[in-house]
Amino acid sequence: MALLLAWMVGLAAAQGTPDDAVLRQQQAVEVAAQAVAAARADGAKRSVIAELMKHYRAEATELDALLPPLDATWEEERRARLQAVIALGEALAAGKSDDDAAEVLAAWLGEPSDRLTLLRKALASTETAPDTVRAAVQADVAEQATALSVWLAYDAAEARRRAEKAQLRAASLRRSGPGQGVGISAEVEAQQLEALALVETTRSATLSTLRTDVLALRAEAAIPRESP
Amino acid sequence: MTVAPSLLGLLGLVPAAHAVDGEVAIRIGGRTEPEAALEQPAEWEPAEEFEPAALTILSARVGHQDGDGPWWRVSGAAWGVAPEGESSLLSLTPQAGVSSLAGPWRLDVAGRTDLQAYVVEEGDASSVRGEVFASITRPSDRWIPRLSVVGIARQYPIQPTWSFRSVEPAVELTYRRDDGWVRWTGSGQANHHQDVLGTQVRTGVTMGLTGAKAELWGGYGLIAAQGGGTQAAARPPFTPLGDYAADADALSAGGFLQHRVDIGTSMFLGDWTVRASGLARLRQSVQLDPATFDRTGHGQLDVERPFGGPWTGVATVGVSGARLVGGGSYTDVYGWLGVRWTPRKADDEG
């Protein structure tokens, strides 16, 4: 962990800070995507979802226009990660799956709770650091927190969707009409599906809570520190 | 009416336990031909007029489930029917199951008992029905094979000649994707009724398309039955709550070939939950006993909407009917409106 932290601080300083405008726009895209996902989860009307989707698309287009040209290998890697974040935001807004993008972020960020701990330590370690290093680390933390937040929102939405599908199937299995009632095997399957739905609903809530912590950390990283 | 208060008491004892939940509901509605489901098919007349009836249903359920651990569920209902009260019914249905993992395999064992008592005048159709099930499954993301066996025994104390037993070992293969599934099932069945043994070979395919808020499913099943006594037709094929589809198909009845089609959907539309299902049978019997049914049809639509807190509004409309080889038939149209009280919902929102 210490080695990773040192590497992260060093890398942030060496690579320079992520573009502020890109970062801000990335966050705006995430907020818009999350708004669409929340509306879908709440069963909002098509017209409401279409309006939110339109806003999301506008934000995503603006982000695309802000992306700078590539001139270094590490920038290509960062671009690939950023593209994965954008793709996951798109999947989140559209209510679809994107396993490839999720895998890119999983390979980058690892276990979300471990990454959150690492980012907290990285931010805390800059208390006595020079301004340039502190600014670089803050920006890097904000960038990673944004990616983590999108990933968690996507994963929470996926878990919620799996839970709803399991509940739908269970509802279909429990037919009770005269002459239509189902046997014990269907009841066993319905119980298994409801158990799965319970697990996925709990997972979704846990991921949402973790995301709240990530957003708090990102807000902390965005606060300018007073010079010593 | 003694069933619901005891369940209510049980519900009151366990509301704080995390995985225990329950509900109580009352519904009011009507049926056009409730008596048809109690009479022996041999007594149906081609032009018989059954009396429509108003009904009130008080039902309760309590259950426990905690992930993949053991589960149980007890449900009971009191159906009051007027002005002709023959089909008034008390029912109590306890059921339980347990599963365990053995390497890549999942083992499930479950059982259910259904006690049905027609407490006004007609007691013939009162019964005790038991069902046991065991399966071994290899869960995976895509292909899911399963071996299972289910045994059913239904005893009619007042009309023991209607009693029967059956056992059905089955093999099943499911292919699952995020957006749907297909399942093939093949089974053999043996049934015993009035000291006569019947056998059946069954196969079927079901499939479903699953979206974020809706599922559409359907299936086709074929039964080739051999042996068995023709007296099977003496038993009412359906009862108001003795509603198991399996029982109408259980007896070989001298042999038949039966086609069965199922279709249904479930939808979450904002605050609304909608479920609809239909089932149709077409039977070609070897022995053309006039009291043997040659086709049946069922359809039901259920709608639910939460009112806030623990209260949910529920509504049901449906139709259930059968036609005999000899021309006798009935079509029972039914519907009811009601309200359901679910205490866990109030806790969750609190």
Side-chain angles (χ1 to χ4, degrees), chain B residues 133-259:
Chain B
F133 171 79
S135 72
I136 179 167
T137 309
R138 188 183 173 105
S140 81
D141 287 343
R142 286 286 180 262
W143 295 94
I144 306 165
R146 180 165 88 163
L147 295 172
S148 68
V149 60
V150 62
I152 301 171
R154 192 161 189 172
Q155 194 72 31
Y156 294 85
I158 298 173
Q159 284 282 4
T161 56
W162 294 356
S163 303
F164 71 90
R165 285 169 284 162
S166 73
V167 61
E168 183 182 0
V171 59
E172 189 179 287
L173 185 62
T174 303
Y175 176 68
R176 187 172 65 188
R177 290 168 48 104
D178 283 350
D179 51 1
W181 48 272
V182 180
R183 175 178 294 169
W184 169 81
T185 307
S187 67
Q189 191 253 29
N191 52 85
H192 186 261
H193 174 66
Q194 293 184 7
D195 295 327
V196 182
L197 186 68
T199 58
Q200 298 180 359
V201 177
R202 301 178 173 191
T203 188
V205 176
T206 54
M207 60 185 71
L209 292 171
T210 311
K213 299 288 178 185
E215 181 190 61
L216 178 67
W217 56 269
Y220 168 76
L222 181 68
I223 299 178
Q226 307 83 32
T230 53
Q231 304 93 324
R235 183 174 58 91
F238 312 110
T239 53
L241 268 190
D243 48 14
Y244 301 105
D247 288 13
D249 300 336
L251 303 181
S252 292
F256 62 81
L257 187 68
Q258 180 178 289
H259 307 272

Side-chain angles (χ1 to χ4, degrees), chain A residues 165 169 172 177 181-182 191, chain B residues 65 112 178 215 243 266 300:
Chain A
K165 283 184 177 182
R169 189 83 275 274
S172 295
V182 293
Q191 291 285 346
Chain B
Q65 184 189 53
R112 169 159 72 189
D178 283 350
E215 181 190 61
D243 48 14
S266 296
Q300 182 165 313

Side-chain angles (χ1 to χ4, degrees), chain A residues 11-33:
Chain A
L11 196 65
Q15 290 182 350
T17 58
D19 187 287
D20 278 351
V22 171
L23 204 51
R24 272 198 302 275
Q25 190 56 34
Q26 212 179 332
Q27 292 170 13
V29 170
E30 182 205 342
V31 169

Side-chain angles (χ1 to χ4, degrees), chain A residues 71-106:
Chain A
D71 59 5
T73 306
W74 66 265
E75 281 189 345
E76 283 179 18
E77 194 175 347
R78 175 176 278 171
R79 175 66 67 87
R81 291 167 176 171
L82 181 57
Q83 295 291 6
V85 172
I86 292 169
L88 269 198
E90 173 75 26
L92 175 67
K96 293 180 178 170
S97 299
D98 191 333
D99 294 339
D100 293 341
E103 273 175 28
V104 170
L105 294 195

Side-chain angles (χ1 to χ4, degrees), chain B residues 271 305-312 342-350:
Chain B
D271 284 342
R305 189 182 193 284
F307 288 152
W311 302 100
T312 301
T342 311
R344 277 285 302 282
K345 279 192 177 174
D347 294 346
D348 292 346
E349 288 177 16

